Amino acid sequence: MRRFKSLLIPGVDKKLLVRDAAKLLPEPSRRRFIAGGASLGALTLLTGCDVSDSFSAESMLTQISKFNDAVQAKIFNPNVLAPTYGEQDIKRPFPFNAFYSEDEAPKIDGQTWQLEVSGLVDNKKSWTLAELHQLPEVKQITRHICVEGWSAIGSWSGTPLRDFLKLVGADSHAKWVHFRCAEDYASSLDMPTALHPQTQMTFKFDDKILPRAYGYPMKIRVPTKLGFKNPKYVVAMEVTNDYKGGYWEDQGYNDFSGS
Protein backbone atom coordinates (compact mmCIF):
# COMPACT_ATOMS: atom_id res chain seq x y z
CA MET A 1 0.00 0.00 0.00
CA ARG A 2 1.26 3.46 -0.87
CA ARG A 3 2.41 5.69 1.95
CA PHE A 4 1.06 9.20 2.31
CA LYS A 5 3.37 12.02 1.40
CA SER A 6 1.46 14.42 3.61
CA LEU A 7 4.51 16.55 4.35
CA LEU A 8 4.60 17.43 0.66
CA ILE A 9 1.24 19.19 0.73
CA PRO A 10 2.16 22.87 0.69
CA GLY A 11 -0.01 24.92 3.01
CA VAL A 12 -2.62 22.20 3.62
CA ASP A 13 -3.75 21.58 7.20
CA LYS A 14 -4.43 17.84 7.39
CA LYS A 15 -7.03 18.12 10.14
CA LEU A 16 -8.94 20.80 8.26
CA LEU A 17 -8.79 18.74 5.07
CA VAL A 18 -10.24 15.70 6.81
CA ARG A 19 -12.91 17.80 8.51
CA ASP A 20 -13.98 19.42 5.25
CA ALA A 21 -14.05 16.07 3.47
CA ALA A 22 -16.20 14.57 6.23
CA LYS A 23 -18.72 17.40 5.81
CA LEU A 24 -19.27 16.30 2.24
CA LEU A 25 -20.32 12.78 3.21
CA PRO A 26 -23.96 11.78 3.76
CA GLU A 27 -24.75 11.83 7.50
CA PRO A 28 -24.61 8.03 8.15
CA SER A 29 -21.33 7.75 6.24
CA ARG A 30 -19.94 10.78 8.06
CA ARG A 31 -20.62 9.23 11.46
CA ARG A 32 -18.96 5.98 10.44
CA PHE A 33 -16.03 7.84 8.93
CA ILE A 34 -15.40 9.90 12.07
CA ALA A 35 -16.01 6.96 14.41
CA GLY A 36 -13.45 4.99 12.44
CA GLY A 37 -10.73 7.54 13.18
CA ALA A 38 -11.05 10.00 10.29
CA SER A 39 -7.66 10.33 8.66
CA LEU A 40 -5.90 11.03 5.40
CA GLY A 41 -5.36 7.29 5.17
CA ALA A 42 -9.11 6.68 5.25
CA LEU A 43 -9.62 9.34 2.60
CA THR A 44 -7.04 7.73 0.35
CA LEU A 45 -8.72 4.32 0.60
CA LEU A 46 -12.08 5.90 -0.16
CA THR A 47 -11.05 8.04 -3.12
CA GLY A 48 -7.96 6.36 -4.51
CA CYS A 49 -6.07 9.67 -4.36
CA ASP A 50 -2.55 9.94 -2.98
CA VAL A 51 -2.49 13.31 -1.23
CA SER A 52 0.93 14.45 -2.42
CA ASP A 53 0.12 18.03 -3.38
CA SER A 54 -2.64 20.63 -3.19
CA PHE A 55 -4.10 19.49 -6.51
CA SER A 56 -4.50 15.96 -5.17
CA ALA A 57 -6.11 17.33 -2.03
CA GLU A 58 -8.61 19.27 -4.14
CA SER A 59 -9.22 16.21 -6.30
CA MET A 60 -9.92 14.16 -3.19
CA LEU A 61 -12.53 16.59 -1.92
CA THR A 62 -14.10 16.75 -5.37
CA GLN A 63 -14.38 12.97 -5.52
CA ILE A 64 -15.90 12.85 -2.06
CA SER A 65 -18.44 15.48 -3.15
CA LYS A 66 -19.31 13.55 -6.31
CA PHE A 67 -19.69 10.39 -4.24
CA ASN A 68 -22.05 12.21 -1.89
CA ASP A 69 -24.13 13.53 -4.80
CA ALA A 70 -24.38 10.07 -6.34
CA VAL A 71 -25.49 8.49 -3.06
CA GLN A 72 -28.13 11.15 -2.38
CA ALA A 73 -29.46 10.99 -5.93
CA LYS A 74 -29.66 7.21 -5.71
CA ILE A 75 -31.66 7.16 -2.49
CA PHE A 76 -33.88 10.16 -3.35
CA ASN A 77 -37.52 9.08 -3.42
CA PRO A 78 -39.64 11.46 -5.53
CA ASN A 79 -42.77 10.25 -3.73
CA VAL A 80 -41.63 11.08 -0.19
CA LEU A 81 -42.77 14.50 0.98
CA ALA A 82 -40.85 16.93 3.17
CA PRO A 83 -42.56 17.55 6.53
CA THR A 84 -45.31 20.19 6.58
CA TYR A 85 -46.36 22.40 9.49
CA GLY A 86 -49.17 24.60 10.78
CA GLU A 87 -49.74 28.35 10.63
CA GLN A 88 -48.58 28.66 14.24
CA ASP A 89 -45.12 27.39 13.23
CA ILE A 90 -44.38 30.09 10.65
CA LYS A 91 -41.36 32.24 11.44
CA ARG A 92 -42.23 35.93 11.29
CA PRO A 93 -40.29 37.81 10.18
CA PHE A 94 -38.75 35.12 8.01
CA PRO A 95 -34.93 35.47 7.81
CA PHE A 96 -33.37 37.06 4.75
CA ASN A 97 -30.69 34.88 3.19
CA ALA A 98 -28.34 35.65 0.31
CA PHE A 99 -24.68 36.27 -0.51
CA TYR A 100 -25.38 40.02 -0.30
CA SER A 101 -27.21 42.33 2.12
CA GLU A 102 -30.96 42.87 2.00
CA ASP A 103 -30.42 46.42 0.77
CA GLU A 104 -28.68 44.98 -2.29
CA ALA A 105 -31.55 42.66 -3.25
CA PRO A 106 -32.76 43.16 -6.83
CA LYS A 107 -35.59 45.61 -7.46
CA ILE A 108 -37.71 44.10 -10.23
CA ASP A 109 -40.63 45.71 -12.03
CA GLY A 110 -43.31 43.03 -12.11
CA GLN A 111 -45.12 44.84 -14.92
CA THR A 112 -42.25 44.36 -17.35
CA TRP A 113 -40.68 41.18 -15.94
CA GLN A 114 -41.02 38.00 -17.97
CA LEU A 115 -39.93 34.42 -17.35
CA GLU A 116 -37.88 33.13 -20.27
CA VAL A 117 -38.45 29.42 -20.99
CA SER A 118 -35.98 27.57 -23.22
CA GLY A 119 -34.31 24.27 -23.93
CA LEU A 120 -36.06 20.93 -24.31
CA VAL A 121 -39.64 22.25 -24.24
CA ASP A 122 -42.36 22.43 -26.88
CA ASN A 123 -43.44 25.96 -25.98
CA LYS A 124 -40.60 28.44 -25.62
CA LYS A 125 -42.76 31.52 -25.09
CA SER A 126 -41.91 33.94 -22.30
CA TRP A 127 -44.44 34.27 -19.50
CA THR A 128 -45.58 37.50 -17.87
CA LEU A 129 -46.22 37.66 -14.16
CA ALA A 130 -49.94 38.20 -14.80
CA GLU A 131 -50.06 34.99 -16.84
CA LEU A 132 -48.26 33.00 -14.17
CA HIS A 133 -50.58 34.33 -11.49
CA GLN A 134 -53.50 32.79 -13.41
CA LEU A 135 -52.12 29.27 -12.94
CA PRO A 136 -53.57 27.00 -10.22
CA GLU A 137 -52.11 27.84 -6.81
CA VAL A 138 -50.99 25.43 -4.10
CA LYS A 139 -49.88 26.41 -0.58
CA GLN A 140 -47.27 24.66 1.51
CA ILE A 141 -45.84 25.37 4.97
CA THR A 142 -42.37 23.84 4.96
CA ARG A 143 -38.99 24.29 6.56
CA HIS A 144 -36.17 26.15 4.83
CA ILE A 145 -32.82 24.64 5.88
CA CYS A 146 -29.76 26.79 5.33
CA VAL A 147 -26.32 25.29 4.74
CA GLU A 148 -25.03 27.71 7.41
CA GLY A 149 -26.87 25.73 10.08
CA TRP A 150 -30.11 27.61 10.74
CA SER A 151 -33.65 26.81 9.63
CA ALA A 152 -37.04 28.53 9.55
CA ILE A 153 -40.58 27.52 8.63
CA GLY A 154 -42.40 29.57 6.01
CA SER A 155 -45.65 29.60 4.07
CA TRP A 156 -45.21 29.48 0.30
CA SER A 157 -47.87 29.59 -2.41
CA GLY A 158 -47.54 29.06 -6.13
CA THR A 159 -47.67 26.56 -8.96
CA PRO A 160 -46.05 23.12 -8.70
CA LEU A 161 -43.07 23.19 -11.04
CA ARG A 162 -43.99 19.79 -12.46
CA ASP A 163 -47.38 21.16 -13.58
CA PHE A 164 -45.70 24.07 -15.35
CA LEU A 165 -43.15 21.79 -17.00
CA LYS A 166 -46.01 19.66 -18.29
CA LEU A 167 -47.84 22.78 -19.50
CA VAL A 168 -44.88 23.93 -21.61
CA GLY A 169 -44.22 20.43 -22.93
CA ALA A 170 -40.90 19.88 -21.19
CA ASP A 171 -38.98 16.68 -21.84
CA SER A 172 -39.40 14.92 -18.50
CA HIS A 173 -36.54 12.59 -19.41
CA ALA A 174 -34.08 15.49 -19.60
CA LYS A 175 -31.51 15.58 -16.83
CA TRP A 176 -31.69 19.14 -15.54
CA VAL A 177 -33.76 22.28 -15.11
CA HIS A 178 -31.42 25.25 -14.92
CA PHE A 179 -32.44 28.61 -13.45
CA ARG A 180 -30.92 32.05 -13.98
CA CYS A 181 -31.71 34.93 -11.65
CA ALA A 182 -31.72 38.72 -11.76
CA GLU A 183 -28.74 39.11 -9.43
CA ASP A 184 -26.48 36.79 -11.50
CA TYR A 185 -27.33 33.84 -9.30
CA ALA A 186 -27.93 30.46 -10.91
CA SER A 187 -28.71 26.90 -9.87
CA SER A 188 -29.62 23.58 -11.46
CA LEU A 189 -32.16 21.02 -10.28
CA ASP A 190 -32.01 17.38 -11.26
CA MET A 191 -35.21 16.39 -13.09
CA PRO A 192 -36.53 14.03 -10.36
CA THR A 193 -36.36 16.92 -7.88
CA ALA A 194 -37.93 19.33 -10.39
CA LEU A 195 -40.84 16.90 -10.74
CA HIS A 196 -41.25 16.41 -6.97
CA PRO A 197 -44.80 17.43 -5.95
CA GLN A 198 -43.54 20.02 -3.45
CA THR A 199 -41.09 21.76 -5.78
CA GLN A 200 -42.87 25.01 -6.50
CA MET A 201 -42.78 28.18 -8.57
CA THR A 202 -43.51 30.51 -5.66
CA PHE A 203 -45.36 33.82 -6.04
CA LYS A 204 -46.57 34.43 -2.47
CA PHE A 205 -45.18 34.28 1.04
CA ASP A 206 -47.56 34.07 4.01
CA ASP A 207 -50.55 34.57 1.66
CA LYS A 208 -49.18 37.87 0.32
CA ILE A 209 -47.37 38.69 -2.91
CA LEU A 210 -43.78 37.52 -2.54
CA PRO A 211 -41.80 40.36 -0.90
CA ARG A 212 -38.65 41.66 -2.51
CA ALA A 213 -36.54 40.16 0.28
CA TYR A 214 -37.81 36.66 -0.49
CA GLY A 215 -37.41 36.71 -4.25
CA TYR A 216 -40.11 38.81 -5.97
CA PRO A 217 -41.51 38.18 -8.47
CA MET A 218 -40.74 34.44 -8.41
CA LYS A 219 -38.58 32.01 -6.51
CA ILE A 220 -38.26 28.25 -6.77
CA ARG A 221 -39.17 26.60 -3.48
CA VAL A 222 -37.55 23.18 -3.03
CA PRO A 223 -38.21 21.84 0.49
CA THR A 224 -36.27 18.64 -0.21
CA LYS A 225 -33.06 20.66 -0.79
CA LEU A 226 -30.84 22.98 1.21
CA GLY A 227 -31.64 26.66 0.95
CA PHE A 228 -29.06 27.59 -1.67
CA LYS A 229 -30.89 25.27 -4.11
CA ASN A 230 -33.95 27.55 -3.86
CA PRO A 231 -33.16 30.31 -6.39
CA LYS A 232 -34.87 33.70 -6.06
CA TYR A 233 -35.57 36.53 -8.53
CA VAL A 234 -35.75 33.92 -11.31
CA VAL A 235 -35.71 35.33 -14.84
CA ALA A 236 -35.04 32.23 -16.96
CA MET A 237 -35.67 28.49 -16.89
CA GLU A 238 -33.97 26.01 -19.23
CA VAL A 239 -34.65 22.28 -19.56
CA THR A 240 -31.42 20.61 -20.62
CA ASN A 241 -29.28 17.51 -20.63
CA ASP A 242 -26.17 19.62 -20.02
CA TYR A 243 -25.15 20.31 -16.45
CA LYS A 244 -24.66 24.08 -16.13
CA GLY A 245 -23.74 24.33 -12.47
CA GLY A 246 -24.72 27.26 -10.32
CA TYR A 247 -23.40 30.10 -8.17
CA TRP A 248 -22.46 27.95 -5.17
CA GLU A 249 -22.10 24.68 -7.05
CA ASP A 250 -19.31 26.22 -9.12
CA GLN A 251 -17.52 27.03 -5.85
CA GLY A 252 -17.55 23.42 -4.69
CA TYR A 253 -20.92 23.02 -2.95
CA ASN A 254 -22.64 19.68 -3.50
CA ASP A 255 -25.03 19.75 -6.40
CA PHE A 256 -27.69 17.44 -4.95
CA SER A 257 -27.63 18.96 -1.45
CA GLY A 258 -30.73 17.22 -0.13
CA SER A 259 -32.00 18.46 3.21
Side-chain angles (χ1 to χ4, degrees), residues 21-115:
K23 287 180 180 178
L24 297 174
L25 286 167
E27 183 60 35
S29 300
R30 177 161 57 245
R31 287 196 295 267
R32 288 195 298 269
F33 180 65
I34 294 173
S39 66
L40 287 176
L43 285 177
T44 290
L45 290 175
L46 182 59
T47 65
C49 288
D50 188 1
V51 187
S52 58
D53 52 36
S54 58
F55 176 79
S56 294
E58 182 66 27
S59 297
M60 179 181 292
L61 291 175
T62 299
Q63 289 191 44
I64 290 285
S65 181
K66 289 181 178 179
F67 171 76
N68 183 18
D69 275 338
V71 169
Q72 291 190 67
K74 189 71 173 178
I75 66 176
F76 177 70
N77 186 335
N79 299 311
V80 174
L81 300 181
T84 56
Y85 302 87
E87 296 281 343
Q88 71 280 2
D89 300 313
I90 297 171
K91 175 70 173 179
R92 302 182 180 96
F94 193 83
F96 173 80
N97 62 295
F99 61 91
Y100 44 81
S101 69
E102 188 170 345
D103 290 341
E104 298 173 304
K107 296 180 180 179
I108 297 176
D109 183 351
Q111 297 298 314
T112 59
W113 174 92
Q114 291 190 340
L115 174 67

Side-chain angles (χ1 to χ4, degrees), residues 71-250:
V71 169
Q72 291 190 67
K74 189 71 173 178
I75 66 176
F76 177 70
N77 186 335
N79 299 311
V80 174
L81 300 181
T84 56
Y85 302 87
E87 296 281 343
Q88 71 280 2
D89 300 313
I90 297 171
K91 175 70 173 179
R92 302 182 180 96
F94 193 83
F96 173 80
N97 62 295
F99 61 91
Y100 44 81
S101 69
E102 188 170 345
D103 290 341
E104 298 173 304
K107 296 180 180 179
I108 297 176
D109 183 351
Q111 297 298 314
T112 59
W113 174 92
Q114 291 190 340
L115 174 67
E116 175 189 322
V117 178
S118 64
L120 302 175
V121 300
D122 294 334
N123 187 350
K124 293 182 171 65
K125 77 177 288 289
S126 294
W127 291 70
T128 67
L129 188 57
E131 289 174 322
L132 292 172
H133 280 179
Q134 294 301 311
L135 298 177
E137 182 179 286
V138 176
K139 178 178 176 179
Q140 61 173 268
I141 300 178
T142 51
R143 184 182 297 276
H144 174 103
I145 302 177
C146 182
V147 72
E148 294 177 343
W150 59 268
S151 69
I153 294 170
S155 170
W156 315 93
S157 299
T159 298
L161 178 59
R162 67 177 183 178
D163 292 353
F164 183 76
L165 291 173
K166 183 177 180 180
L167 181 64
V168 300
D171 180 358
S172 61
H173 298 291
K175 295 180 179 179
W176 305 99
V177 182
H178 181 72
F179 299 95
R180 289 190 294 106
C181 306
E183 81 282 43
D184 294 326
Y185 195 84
S187 190
S188 297
L189 288 182
D190 59 284
M191 185 58 76
T193 298
L195 296 176
H196 188 275
Q198 290 174 307
T199 301
Q200 180 191 84
M201 299 167 66
T202 298
F203 307 113
K204 293 181 180 177
F205 176 80
D206 209 3
D207 299 321
K208 299 180 179 64
I209 292 296
L210 196 66
R212 172 187 167 207
Y214 305 153
Y216 179 84
M218 186 183 90
K219 74 170 288 173
I220 303 298
R221 175 71 188 126
V222 194
T224 59
K225 299 279 195 184
L226 293 176
F228 76 90
K229 300 295 291 186
N230 293 237
K232 300 180 292 187
Y233 317 104
V234 176
V235 297
M237 174 190 307
E238 179 182 2
V239 178
T240 178
N241 282 318
D242 300 321
Y243 178 64
K244 301 195 173 184
Y247 181 87
W248 290 114
E249 294 90 334
D250 293 347

